Amino acid sequence: MRTCFIEISYQVRTNTVSLKYADKRHPCWPFQTGCPTSGFLNLQKRRIVAFSCSCQRPGGEAEKHKQPLRLRTDDVFPGNNELHAQRLERSNANVHNSFVSAIGPNGGRDEQTVAGLHNDDVHAGNGLPTSAYVHLPFCKRRCFYCDFAIVAIGQRNDANSTNIDSTMGSYVTTLCKEITSTLSQLPQASPLKTLFFGGGTPSLLPPQYLSRIVDTLDQHCGFQCDAEISMEMDPGTFDKQTLKQFLGLGVNRVSLGVQSFNEDFLKACGRSHGLQDVYEALDIITGLNVSNWSLDLISSLPHQTLEHWEECLREAIGLSPAHVSVYDLQIEEGTKFGVWYKPGHHPLPDEDKSASFYRLASSLLREAGYEHYEISNYAKPGFQCRHNMVYWKNQPYYGFGLGATSYFNGKRFSRPRKLKGYADFVELCINQSSDNFSANEEYLSFYSNTVESVEDRVCDTIMLSLRLASGLNLNELSKNFGHELRVHICKSFLPFINSGHAVAVDSKFKTVPPDTFSTALSEQSASKVLKDVIFIRLTDPDGFLLSNEIISSLFTDLPIK
Amino acid sequence: MDILARIQAASITAPCLAPQHHHKHLQQLCFPMSTGHHFSCFYMHQNHFPVAMPGHPCRIPSGSIRCQSGAVEAPEMQDVKFSKSMLSFDMGKDRLSKVPASQIRNFSIIAHIDHGKSTLADKLLQVTGTVSDREMKEQFLDNMDLERERGITIKLQAARMRYVAKDGEPYCLNLIDTPGHVDFSYEVSRSLAACEGALLVVDASQGVEAQTLANVYLALENNLEIIPVLNKIDLPGADPERVRNEIEEIVGLDCSEAIFCSAKEGIGIQEILESIVAKVPPPKDTSMNPLRALIFDSYYDPYRGVIVYFRVVDGSIKIHDKIQFMASGKEYEVDELGVLSPGQMQVNELFAGEVGYLAASIRSVADARVGDTITSSANKAGMALSGYQEAVPMVFCGLFPVDADQFGELREALEKLQLNDAALKYEPESSSAMGFGFRCGFLGLLHMEIVQERLEREYGLNLITTAPSVVYRVQCADNTVVECSNPCELPEPGKRVWIEEPFVNIEMITPKEYIGTLMELAQERRGEFKEMKYITESRASVIYILPLAEMVGDFFDQLKSRSKGYASMEYSLSGYRKSDLVRLDILINGEPMDPLAAIVHKDKAFAVGRALTQKLKELIPRQMFKIPIQVTIGTRVIASESISAMRKDVLAKCYGGDISRKKKLLKKQAEGKKRMKSVGRVEVPQDAFMAVLRLEKEVV
């Protein structure tokens, strides 16, 4: 018996439920039916349901397949921890590392990778996003290093509670208008595979507001059965009840903004919480059995020493999160840090020191069983952030809310970063769509400035994929941009491969020795060996540490003007 | 002849320069300063001068030229304001009228920079009605943007004015403007040669400056009647009496009749005009002789070819005449003939003593260079006018486009500039670090700066310039002498016996409190003290012999800054001398950086080497590997530094999928890399080149 996923999307407007297999390669595909799951839908008010199918037939016999589907009732919705346990199980079994999951032992044809983290092309057919980023900009205060589009609302108290609620309420209203206006424009929005509530501090949003957002999305595009719904949460901004409600709304991944396990550093960063809040937040998360949670840390803080950093990392590892993000502090213009500090100068660590922080994080976390799957992200097997993978894999995604960026129809667009500007923008979206309903193109052209050029797409592919441990997939590169570019890029990589900052990998996941690689490039018969090189990836930590230098060199070398 | 000798010569000859001697043909002295300096550039096809004829600003049909002499009253000073509009028109329209040679006065104005030459010229044009108030643009004669910005005159222009003197006779006054900078002293000498007199303008508060002297000597050599004018007497600091004495003492001119004026306020203008009429001798009427006309300027007009400014010395020239340029041998037919007033106004014929312009579809200014003699093809003159010299570049530098794609554009721009600037020399040069560019020769530093600026400003090029260098003469072991202006081409140490470098005589005139610091400056620059004397109680002239190479850097800037702007200088080439010179090579990661190579004196090599390595270490960003930086003489390393390998360059966070932002940063970084020049595997930013070149200008 094989487990596969079927997705059900419920269209409230038409009052219909459509059901299809999430895996086109499944012998039952295509399979449409009436509404076998309506009972669940009514019961749970959530439309994210997992099934299993007892089909045992090999491919090619789709017509003969008549066996009914058997629902596994305990898989009802993704807030359920059992589901995660299962997913974890599958991941452990099938996804050993990024290479396997990306192309599979049979060249990407393996049905076992159905639930694999990289097999995201189910809806690639219509090119519409299956991921959405929703920006919830409210924060208690602005951290000293932060230059995001945020709205500081202060500590909630009796006096300002009403004001805060009305500010948040009207923001959520605008946000939902944007979602509606965007999605109702599309011929048929695909159900979401990942949803990410980022901020700001999304956990500051009262659950009833979050519910409006989820409902709106649900109504217009729905969710796939195993959708990942992440939420950024800050310590000191939520209690057990709130998190429970969030989970009830479908949130199944929590990203906790800890940043440091040192009271002084928290204070020095202008964080709104102390160390005590961190531990309380962790208690709440573990108390509710949320297994898929992530922890954010910042390195290279002012006055930070290697000892401090090691302490912080060990503390994090001790808490055993499923996922850890380690961000190297960037000093941005217009922030307090930008005014106070100069990168590389005291009290900030110099380049060498902050490089050693990075190396330490990489070695300690990997030692502890975390996979360094992206430049600043570490995960236990199966717990990579699927939403962020969408970014790195250069796949389309919606962006909703203040300052959010979106990428679909080949266009990238950043929304206004001020509340007023954003509200005006949404107003304009709505007017444009109602004035001329059929002028989809026009609307979209307003929506995003330009379709990405070939050069931009090449650059995106390079810079995004090299952030991943799996690296740049050369087969995809030549498929999308031609064989010449493949050879060209291999040549550009040569010095970095020779210096040990990058590695070429063949179809058997074996490292191609630099000598072989360089000989192959210099020979006329380059194509054969190069054909065998499927991936080029940056080494960890040497290549990752110099990724900007390497990526910008590759950009410089690009043959496109 | 050194400066001292010149001063003595000047004081001796000055008393003899009474008007009666003026027509005596004295053989022109070959003045050391003017050796080969010619600079004839800057087209002025955008003449902004509106003239009487509407819709056809520069061309007046010959039929409209009046031949009677109008009896226009000379305006009294107090009436100037009132009568301007009326008189301007009346006088202006008559300025093409012919007058007998005896009523022509050709003069120029000589002055130190900022002493008010251009303001005075403007005032003369205004008062004589040559230019109406409406047309008046400040500093009319300097109409190139660059000149306006710097407040200096580089290019020559001329203006024909009509003035009815107190004696009731109408006079034709030709003002021939001269460039004010020593780089163009050949040009100055040619325009002076086209005159019979000169106004010597001296700032009544600042007194005699180095350029004043240099120009006076040039004027004296050309046998000009000099009329001293003390300008800016309206300023609070003016002390005309003191300055008058200064001129008498230093220059040796009789200043009893010096005119006190303020060009800005219009004081003394009338006296100046009268004095020109009275003192400047008229040209000889040699209209019957074969044509000889002296070219004192030329510029390239893209529509009409080269426009030649000339003074008819003998004979006459008519439109459609076949003419020949005696130095270049080229023959042309006159398409257009006219006078400058100051806009171009066409006439049919010009006679001996007159100043005018012609166009003859001449392709390049090289065919009609300043100093050349125009004669008639039909009736050739026996001998050319004396004083013609070929342009010899003194200062060289490499010009490289920042963006290698601009090489073609740079070549085109240089070709175009050369059409207009016969002194500009260039040849292609390439180097591993800088790519393709040109090695260019200039008359001097100002010339170099101007050309660079014009290339960047008018042609939109982004250039890197190497440190300026001079022409070295290398005595080789095989008994040949190699001239070398590019440090990279210096023969190997084993192959050379000695190196000679050009030296200049430099005269600095300074208030006495800065004597010490200026002597220090000259000593630092390997100067050899020649002489010092007080020209007044408070000011002194200090004379040094200095390697030209030491002067082409920032010497002038240093002189100005160390003297708080009070000192002035003038220099002339004194010849070649042996020097103990070595070539410094800069190696980055073992690769020589040709454009940064420099020829320096042995005693300075270590200090320069250290400074260069330190600067490069500061400016070359860390790369993925360790980079040694070395300065060598031959194979011997005299200074070294190293840049450690880059440790970290990574953008950690991706803000909510904001890829554009990250991409922008990476693209910017990539853009930066494109602007870097690769030296072997090392990427060197443009800034580093610039800084090292600047440093070389300072310390080498």
Side-chain angles (χ1 to χ4, degrees):
Chain A
M1 172 164 159
R2 170 179 22 226
T3 303
C4 79
F5 283 90
I6 295 171
E7 63 170 77
I8 295 173
S9 14
Y10 176 63
Q11 301 288 318
V12 171
R13 277 171 303 174
T14 52
N15 196 28
T16 57
V17 169
S18 66
L19 180 147
K20 45 189 173 178
Y21 288 95
D23 179 17
K24 282 182 191 170
R25 290 179 293 264
H26 192 274
C28 298
W29 179 268
F31 183 86
Q32 296 284 329
T33 181
C35 188
T37 57
S38 52
F40 289 104
L41 294 171
N42 290 340
L43 194 65
Q44 294 291 338
K45 271 293 258 180
R46 296 260 60 81
R47 290 85 172 175
I48 310 152
V49 185
F51 294 82
S52 71
C53 163
S54 55
C55 167
Q56 285 174 305
R57 306 188 179 212
E61 294 179 343
E63 301 95 311
K64 294 179 199 163
H65 178 64
K66 296 280 189 276
Q67 267 182 281
L69 297 159
R70 189 162 56 84
L71 298 173
R72 279 171 49 169
T73 49
D74 49 358
D75 274 351
V76 170
F77 75 88
N80 190 318
N81 287 315
E82 224 171 295
L83 180 72
H84 294 299
Q86 282 172 10
R87 191 199 290 155
L88 182 56
E89 225 170 80
R90 280 192 296 275
S91 304
N92 281 338
N94 298 333
V95 189
H96 295 296
N97 60 47
S98 322
F99 301 126
V100 179
S101 59
I103 58 158
N106 305 333
R109 292 280 122 213
D110 190 354
E111 289 165 11
Q112 293 300 312
T113 62
V114 166
L117 296 164
H118 296 269
N119 192 357
D120 289 336
D121 58 353
V122 175
H123 285 275
N126 62 12
L128 283 176
T130 54
S131 292
Y133 174 84
V134 174
H135 193 69
L136 301 171
F138 306 101
C139 280
K140 283 187 184 169
R141 58 187 282 189
R142 187 181 278 278
C143 303
F144 299 152
Y145 52 79
C146 167
D147 74 334
F148 290 14
I150 70 142
V151 177
I153 53 165
Q155 189 81 38
R156 189 184 274 269
N157 55 39
D158 291 346
N160 65 14
S161 200
T162 328
N163 277 340
I164 289 174
D165 282 341
S166 92
T167 308
M168 287 183 172
S170 72
Y171 176 76
V172 169
T173 305
T174 313
L175 179 71
C176 290
K177 278 187 196 166
E178 193 202 356
I179 296 172
T180 307
S181 139
T182 305
L183 296 179
S184 60
Q185 281 297 295
L186 302 170
Q188 201 199 338
S190 311
L192 293 180
K193 235 175 173 182
T194 73
L195 171 62
F196 196 99
F197 292 107
T201 311
S203 46
L204 277 178
L205 201 73
Q208 67 269 25
Y209 289 137
L210 196 79
S211 165
R212 280 171 59 194
I213 301 168
V214 174
D215 282 346
T216 308
L217 284 166
D218 204 6
Q219 188 181 332
H220 290 99
C221 57
F223 295 89
Q224 294 188 28
C225 52
D226 62 338
E228 172 196 271
I229 302 181
S230 302
M231 185 172 192
E232 288 183 344
M233 308 188 83
D234 272 4
T237 61
F238 62 95
D239 53 21
K240 192 164 184 173
Q241 187 52 37
T242 319
L243 180 55
K244 210 172 192 172
Q245 284 175 278
F246 288 148
L247 296 176
L249 289 166
V251 171
N252 53 20
R253 183 177 179 275
V254 169
S255 169
L256 190 69
V258 173
Q259 318 308 359
S260 176
F261 286 100
N262 179 312
E263 196 79 66
D264 297 338
F265 287 140
L266 290 175
K267 214 167 270 170
C269 291
R271 295 290 294 173
S272 65
H273 60 86
L275 201 51
Q276 189 56 38
D277 298 315
V278 170
Y279 290 112
E280 278 167 18
L282 287 168
D283 283 345
I284 297 170
I285 291 169
T286 46
L288 286 169
N289 290 326
V290 180
S291 60
N292 191 2
W293 66 278
S294 173
L295 192 148
D296 283 3
L297 295 176
I298 300 181
S299 68
S300 299
L301 291 171
H303 299 289
Q304 199 169 32
T305 63
L306 204 59
E307 290 71 37
H308 285 134
W309 180 233
E310 181 167 352
E311 217 171 274
C312 178
L313 285 167
R314 293 206 183 277
E315 184 66 28
I317 290 165
L319 294 164
S320 192
H323 185 280
V324 181
S325 296
V326 181
Y327 300 126
D328 184 65
L329 179 71
Q330 311 270 320
I331 302 298
E332 304 287 352
E333 244 176 77
T335 63
K336 293 233 164 108
F337 273 13
V339 175
W340 298 336
Y341 306 126
K342 203 173 154 214
H345 289 76
H346 186 80
L348 294 180
D350 60 19
E351 189 184 311
D352 295 13
K353 205 165 169 191
S354 87
S356 65
F357 290 166
Y358 188 90
R359 287 171 190 279
L360 185 67
S362 172
S363 72
L364 287 185
L365 286 164
R366 282 191 292 163
E367 232 167 68
Y370 291 88
E371 196 188 324
H372 193 179
Y373 72 101
E374 194 268 344
I375 280 180
S376 43
N377 287 296
Y378 300 81
K380 287 196 171 157
F383 283 97
Q384 299 170 347
C385 176
R386 287 162 62 205
H387 181 81
N388 282 338
M389 291 303 289
V390 169
Y391 301 150
W392 313 133
K393 301 196 82 203
N394 204 14
Q395 290 165 341
Y397 54 91
Y398 300 113
F400 300 116
L402 191 71
T405 59
S406 57
Y407 177 41
F408 73 101
N409 275 4
K411 297 169 185 177
R412 293 190 187 277
F413 180 71
S414 299
R415 276 145 201 77
R417 289 168 61 92
K418 291 269 173 356
L419 278 181
K420 174 81 173 69
Y422 173 63
D424 292 347
F425 158 78
V426 172
E427 222 32 61
L428 202 57
C429 286
I430 293 164
N431 290 340
Q432 287 224 344
S433 57
S434 62
D435 284 356
N436 190 352
F437 193 78
S438 62
N440 226 348
E441 275 309 302
E442 221 170 285
Y443 166 66
L444 287 170
S445 71
F446 155 76
Y447 204 77
S448 358
N449 24 17
T450 43
V451 172
E452 291 226 302
S453 63
V454 174
E455 187 204 353
D456 272 329
R457 286 197 292 130
V458 172
C459 288
D460 291 349
T461 308
I462 293 172
M463 75 173 236
L464 295 171
S465 63
L466 288 181
R467 295 187 66 92
L468 290 172
S470 53
L472 179 64
N473 185 329
L474 295 174
N475 282 348
E476 269 176 31
L477 190 80
S478 37
K479 194 177 88 196
N480 293 329
F481 306 106
H483 181 71
E484 260 173 55
L485 187 71
R486 179 193 195 134
V487 178
H488 189 94
I489 285 189
C490 284
K491 281 185 180 153
S492 300
F493 261 114
L494 186 59
F496 305 118
I497 286 176
N498 283 334
S499 63
H501 292 94
V503 175
V505 180
D506 68 13
S507 54
K508 296 185 183 73
F509 312 116
K510 286 214 180 95
T511 300
V512 179
D515 287 352
T516 318
F517 185 76
S518 99
T519 319
L521 272 178
S522 59
E523 277 168 14
Q524 287 297 318
S525 59
S527 55
K528 181 167 180 327
V529 182
L530 284 183
K531 217 172 180 177
D532 211 34
V533 175
I534 306 294
F535 280 94
I536 296 183
R537 62 179 177 89
L538 300 186
T539 51
D540 178 12
D542 290 343
F544 277 165
L545 263 171
L546 298 181
S547 54
N548 282 355
E549 173 70 16
I550 296 167
I551 293 167
S552 56
S553 290
L554 296 171
F555 281 9
T556 314
D557 276 359
L558 281 181
I560 311 151
K561 257 269 153 189
Chain B
M1 204 191 303
D2 66 20
I3 296 276
L4 177 64
R6 270 196 270 146
I7 291 171
Q8 285 163 345
S11 3
I12 294 160
T13 48
C16 314
L17 291 172
Q20 65 267 29
H21 293 296
H22 259 280
H23 301 301
K24 215 193 281 178
H25 266 291
L26 294 176
Q27 202 185 341
Q28 274 189 336
L29 293 169
C30 184
F31 200 52
M33 254 184 65
S34 57
T35 332
H37 286 211
H38 165 234
F39 183 62
S40 149
C41 73
F42 307 125
Y43 53 83
M44 309 167 283
H45 56 270
Q46 71 289 43
N47 275 318
H48 310 286
F49 318 130
V51 211
M53 288 298 287
H56 225 306
C58 290
R59 295 167 192 233
I60 291 185
S62 51
S64 74
I65 294 176
R66 299 192 189 182
C67 289
Q68 81 278 28
S69 44
V72 180
E73 288 292 313
E76 293 301 319
M77 276 320 294
Q78 61 268 34
D79 292 334
V80 165
K81 273 192 181 129
F82 158 74
S83 56
K84 257 178 198 165
S85 55
M86 195 177 65
L87 280 174
S88 295
F89 179 73
D90 285 348
M91 295 195 297
K93 70 186 178 189
D94 280 338
R95 60 191 193 266
L96 294 180
S97 306
K98 296 286 179 201
V99 293
S102 62
Q103 273 156 259
I104 296 174
R105 300 290 182 272
N106 294 323
F107 71 102
S108 61
I109 308 176
I110 53 181
H112 186 73
I113 199 160
D114 278 346
H115 280 198
K117 181 176 76 168
S118 300
T119 317
L120 177 58
D122 291 348
K123 212 52 160 193
L124 293 175
L125 294 183
Q126 223 174 343
V127 168
T128 56
T130 313
V131 174
S132 73
D133 283 355
R134 185 174 49 80
E135 298 158 347
M136 196 63 209
K137 194 162 54 167
E138 202 164 328
Q139 302 207 345
F140 214 102
L141 291 178
D142 301 349
N143 67 1
M144 203 169 75
D145 287 350
L146 211 60
E147 293 181 18
R148 278 176 184 279
E149 265 172 39
R150 294 174 175 226
I152 53 170
T153 312
I154 305 158
K155 153 191 81 247
L156 314 174
Q157 283 194 355
R160 176 172 173 141
M161 297 173 274
R162 184 179 175 84
Y163 176 67
V164 180
K166 288 205 172 116
D167 61 12
E169 291 294 315
Y171 287 87
C172 168
L173 310 184
N174 284 310
L175 165 61
I176 297 173
D177 200 13
T178 60
H181 194 273
V182 66
D183 280 3
F184 312 118
S185 64
Y186 171 69
E187 236 183 359
V188 178
S189 83
R190 292 307 84 205
S191 45
L192 292 178
C195 302
E196 280 83 26
L199 299 176
L200 169 65
V201 177
V202 181
D203 187 314
S205 51
Q206 290 183 6
V208 174
E209 294 286 0
Q211 249 176 42
T212 319
L213 286 178
N215 286 327
V216 167
Y217 300 141
L218 276 178
L220 290 174
E221 270 179 52
N222 282 293
N223 258 342
L224 303 195
E225 174 64 32
I226 295 174
I227 302 171
V229 173
L230 301 175
N231 194 17
K232 306 194 189 179
I233 54 160
D234 59 310
L235 292 186
D239 186 355
E241 288 303 331
R242 174 182 60 84
V243 172
R244 175 152 69 179
N245 291 336
E246 211 174 278
I247 300 173
E248 287 195 332
E249 274 172 45
I250 306 164
V251 188
L253 277 180
D254 173 13
C255 285
S256 57
E257 289 178 38
I259 301 165
F260 289 12
C261 103
S262 164
K264 197 166 148 242
E265 297 298 320
I267 305 165
I269 305 300
Q270 207 65 37
E271 288 84 338
I272 292 173
L273 287 166
E274 284 300 325
S275 178
I276 292 168
V277 169
K279 289 188 177 170
V280 175
K284 282 191 294 182
D285 187 1
T286 51
S287 303
M288 303 319 291
N289 294 359
L291 171 67
R292 284 204 301 176
L294 173 68
I295 301 178
F296 63 85
D297 192 15
S298 61
Y299 74 92
Y300 183 78
D301 178 296
Y303 303 105
R304 296 181 288 169
V306 175
I307 306 294
V308 178
Y309 291 179
F310 59 89
R311 146 85 192 266
V312 186
V313 179
D314 297 321
S316 66
I317 182 167
K318 268 205 304 288
I319 190 151
H320 305 313
D321 274 359
K322 286 245 181 342
I323 52 162
Q324 189 183 30
F325 296 94
M326 297 180 81
S328 69
K330 297 276 163 66
E331 287 199 25
Y332 292 97
E333 186 188 317
V334 179
D335 299 333
E336 188 183 326
L337 189 68
V339 297
L340 298 145
S341 187
Q344 295 176 350
M345 302 166 102
Q346 291 192 24
V347 299
N348 280 342
E349 191 168 13
L350 289 170
F351 297 93
E354 286 190 291
V355 173
Y357 78 92
L358 66 81
S361 310
I362 304 162
R363 249 168 266 117
S364 153
V365 287
D367 290 353
R369 281 212 35 231
V370 168
D372 201 348
T373 305
I374 305 170
T375 190
S376 157
S377 298
N379 184 14
K380 278 184 197 155
M383 218 170 64
L385 297 162
S386 58
Y388 177 79
Q389 280 163 4
E390 288 293 339
V392 180
M394 299 284 289
V395 178
F396 292 81
C397 80
L399 292 179
F400 294 88
V402 168
D403 176 358
D405 297 344
Q406 282 194 331
F407 176 75
E409 286 167 60
L410 174 59
R411 185 174 47 210
E412 275 168 33
L414 283 169
E415 275 166 10
K416 277 188 199 150
L417 280 186
Q418 203 182 36
L419 283 179
N420 207 4
D421 180 356
L424 173 66
K425 301 275 192 277
Y426 63 90
E427 55 184 51
E429 183 182 18
S430 74
S431 87
S432 54
M434 313 281 280
F436 292 97
F438 292 94
R439 185 116 199 125
C440 302
F442 307 94
L443 295 176
L445 281 181
L446 182 72
H447 186 199
M448 178 173 85
E449 249 179 76
I450 289 165
V451 170
Q452 286 168 7
E453 221 169 308
R454 293 193 68 194
L455 287 170
E456 300 206 332
R457 191 183 296 206
E458 292 170 29
Y459 296 90
L461 298 165
N462 202 354
L463 298 174
I464 304 179
T465 57
T466 64
S469 124
V470 299
V471 185
Y472 297 95
R473 280 186 194 152
V474 186
Q475 175 70 45
C476 297
D478 59 2
N479 231 357
T480 54
V481 177
V482 176
E483 292 212 334
C484 161
S485 66
N486 186 346
C488 312
E489 286 163 9
L490 195 71
E492 293 304 309
K495 288 185 185 158
R496 54 186 199 233
V497 184
W498 69 73
I499 306 176
E500 286 181 333
E501 64 175 328
F503 277 71
V504 288
N505 270 308
I506 174 165
E507 177 173 23
M508 301 178 276
I509 293 184
T510 172
K512 63 181 176 190
E513 51 269 44
Y514 305 113
I515 293 172
T517 168
L518 292 186
M519 288 177 75
E520 209 175 288
L521 170 67
Q523 298 289 0
E524 279 168 22
R525 304 301 169 99
R526 297 193 281 135
E528 182 187 308
F529 178 76
K530 293 299 285 185
E531 192 192 354
M532 183 183 83
K533 60 177 184 182
Y534 279 87
I535 52 180
T536 63
E537 252 172 51
S538 59
R539 277 154 36 99
S541 149
V542 186
I543 298 170
Y544 268 85
I545 288 187
L546 197 75
L548 177 62
E550 296 282 346
M551 218 199 63
V552 296
D554 64 338
F555 189 88
F556 183 70
D557 293 343
Q558 282 294 324
L559 173 107
K560 281 292 178 192
S561 79
R562 292 192 191 192
S563 66
K564 302 200 165 62
Y566 284 110
S568 62
M569 63 170 262
E570 199 55 57
Y571 69 91
S572 63
L573 193 68
S574 75
Y576 276 78
R577 286 193 192 182
K578 270 189 228 174
S579 281
D580 204 352
L581 299 169
V582 293
R583 188 178 82 191
L584 289 188
D585 288 313
I586 298 178
L587 278 72
I588 294 181
N589 204 25
E591 294 271 338
M593 305 255 290
D594 294 345
L596 297 186
I599 295 174
V600 300
H601 194 264
K602 209 173 166 186
D603 296 347
K604 288 186 161 187
F606 285 93
V608 172
R610 254 197 314 279
L612 291 180
T613 48
Q614 274 161 12
K615 197 80 190 168
L616 281 168
K617 184 182 178 177
E618 229 172 81
L619 291 167
I620 296 177
R622 284 176 164 202
Q623 316 213 349
M624 296 180 71
F625 43 88
K626 185 178 165 184
I627 308 162
I629 300 171
Q630 297 159 307
V631 170
T632 61
I633 300 175
T635 52
R636 191 161 58 98
V637 177
I638 60 159
S640 77
E641 288 280 354
S642 73
I643 300 167
S644 56
M646 179 195 294
R647 297 293 159 80
K648 195 198 78 172
D649 185 12
V650 55
L651 279 173
K653 177 128 173 127
C654 184
Y655 306 118
D658 191 353
I659 280 150
S660 325
R661 178 173 169 163
K662 200 181 291 280
K663 187 163 63 182
K664 211 181 267 174
L665 283 169
L666 287 167
K667 280 198 163 172
K668 203 172 149 198
Q669 197 169 343
E671 241 359 271
K673 278 182 186 296
K674 274 187 193 159
R675 279 197 302 275
M676 291 197 202
K677 300 282 179 183
S678 302
V679 179
R681 290 161 63 208
V682 183
E683 283 162 340
V684 182
Q686 218 83 81
D687 292 2
F689 275 96
M690 301 292 204
V692 168
L693 293 173
R694 255 197 311 279
L695 189 69
E696 284 185 349
K697 281 171 201 166
E698 283 161 26
V699 298
V700 171

